[in-house]
Amino acid sequence: EKGYETGEHAPGLKLGGCGAYKAAHHIIKTHATVWHSYNNTWRSEQQGMVGISLTSGWGEPVDPHSQTDRDAAERYIQFHLGWFANPIYRGDYPEIMKNYVGRKSTQQGLGTSRLPTFSVQEKTYIKGTSDFLGIGHFTTRYVIQKSFPFLHASSYHTDCDLAELVDPKWPAPGPKWLYSVPWGFRRLLNFIKTQYGNPLIYVTENGVSEKVQCTQLCDEWRIEYLKGYINEILKALNDGVNVKGYTAWSLLDKFEWNKGFSERFGFYHTDFKNKNKPRYPKASVDYYKKIIRANGFPNPREVMS
């Protein structure tokens, strides 16, 4: 969306309403091609695995008793995770995406939906092309229904008719979009289990950056974030979710999209002003080392069940 619809990220194209859908369509088809290539050529010899890594927040209905809010939260997750996961695990885009984008395309007077379609052969070819699902997850939103007025310039952002809210009580240690809401992760993992047949999951990204440069290297908010989120993964494991591995984001402070070097997710502080780029461990390094060493929380009493 940021690369092909709003133009915020490379390649900076502003193809409103259709660019993101077209780019995603090609990504899904090329992913399937690569999977089949490996499956046919190398798997028997190497016994390796090919998967896809998808990043998604969790959408929670503002009022869980409201069907309207529940539907909006369902759209949130289907327009984010389901957009890619549904074709790979179930053979096609989520019905809710096809319905909403199709209806809005008709309202615009377009002959076909802005959401591309897969042929029958493509659906069969794409379905099942992931030996594991990589999940990047950082935060959660409350979701409510919001009908956007009829716009000739419809977009991915307005197609799903919802608004995202945050709880002012949620800790916000990092950038303005990243609130610490650990319980959302367990719900996301259980959603994946239910929707996609409990696939093998590797958590490929999970972490938090810092609002201000952490000159004293005492990033206790990152320790709290990791403790909360890893604990929720353990709960998901107890729920029967097939999580096999976890990777924190990230080892070093580094280049972050259009934020450059200003957004720091690392366990190690990188001094970018020094030509040798020296690295210094933050407090979270010791904490994470203990978790790795114990393959879990070293002290069971610090974990709430």
Side-chain angles (χ1 to χ4, degrees), residues 2-4 7-13 257-258:
K2 287 186 166 69
Y4 293 87
E8 291 171 65
H9 289 176
L13 301 180
W257 300 88
N258 56 339

Side-chain angles (χ1 to χ4, degrees), residues 64-138:
H65 303 294
S66 157
Q67 188 63 48
T68 309
D69 284 1
R70 289 206 305 272
D71 290 346
E74 175 77 12
R75 288 197 300 281
Y76 175 92
I77 201 73
Q78 294 293 0
F79 267 79
H80 285 83
L81 181 68
W83 185 6
F84 294 87
N86 221 73
I88 288 168
Y89 284 96
R90 304 177 76 167
D92 199 3
Y93 291 121
E95 287 300 316
I96 201 83
M97 274 191 89
K98 294 197 289 185
N99 293 343
Y100 268 68
V101 181
R103 190 179 74 247
K104 295 203 173 199
S105 301
T106 303
Q107 288 171 349
Q108 286 178 275
L110 301 175
T112 56
S113 176
R114 287 180 283 105
L115 182 69
T117 54
F118 295 114
S119 69
V120 175
Q121 291 87 346
E122 285 172 338
K123 289 177 188 177
T124 307
Y125 188 71
I126 291 163
K127 186 177 179 181
T129 56
S130 207
D131 304 319
F132 65 88
L133 178 59
I135 285 293
H137 175 74
F138 295 90

Side-chain angles (χ1 to χ4, degrees), residues 11 40 51 66 125 161 196 294 302:
N40 297 334
S66 157
Y125 188 71
D161 279 354
Y196 309 125
E302 71 177 306

Side-chain angles (χ1 to χ4, degrees), residues 1 12 29 47 55 58 82 120 169 191 196 215 235 273 295:
E1 187 216 0
K29 291 204 287 185
Q47 300 298 307
T55 298
W58 173 250
V120 175
K169 295 193 287 293
F191 174 89
Y196 309 125
T215 50
K235 292 178 190 175
K273 294 191 171 105
N295 195 26

Side-chain angles (χ1 to χ4, degrees), residues 13-62:
L13 301 180
K14 298 181 180 179
L15 307 172
C18 63
Y21 296 132
K22 283 182 178 176
H25 200 67
H26 290 304
I27 288 169
I28 293 162
K29 291 204 287 185
T30 49
H31 162 80
T33 304
V34 171
W35 186 92
H36 281 287
S37 173
Y38 185 84
N39 196 51
N40 297 334
T41 310
W42 298 106
R43 189 187 299 275
S44 58
E45 181 185 330
Q46 296 180 345
Q47 300 298 307
M49 293 197 300
V50 177
I52 193 166
S53 183
L54 306 175
T55 298
S56 179
W58 173 250
E60 181 75 9
V62 168

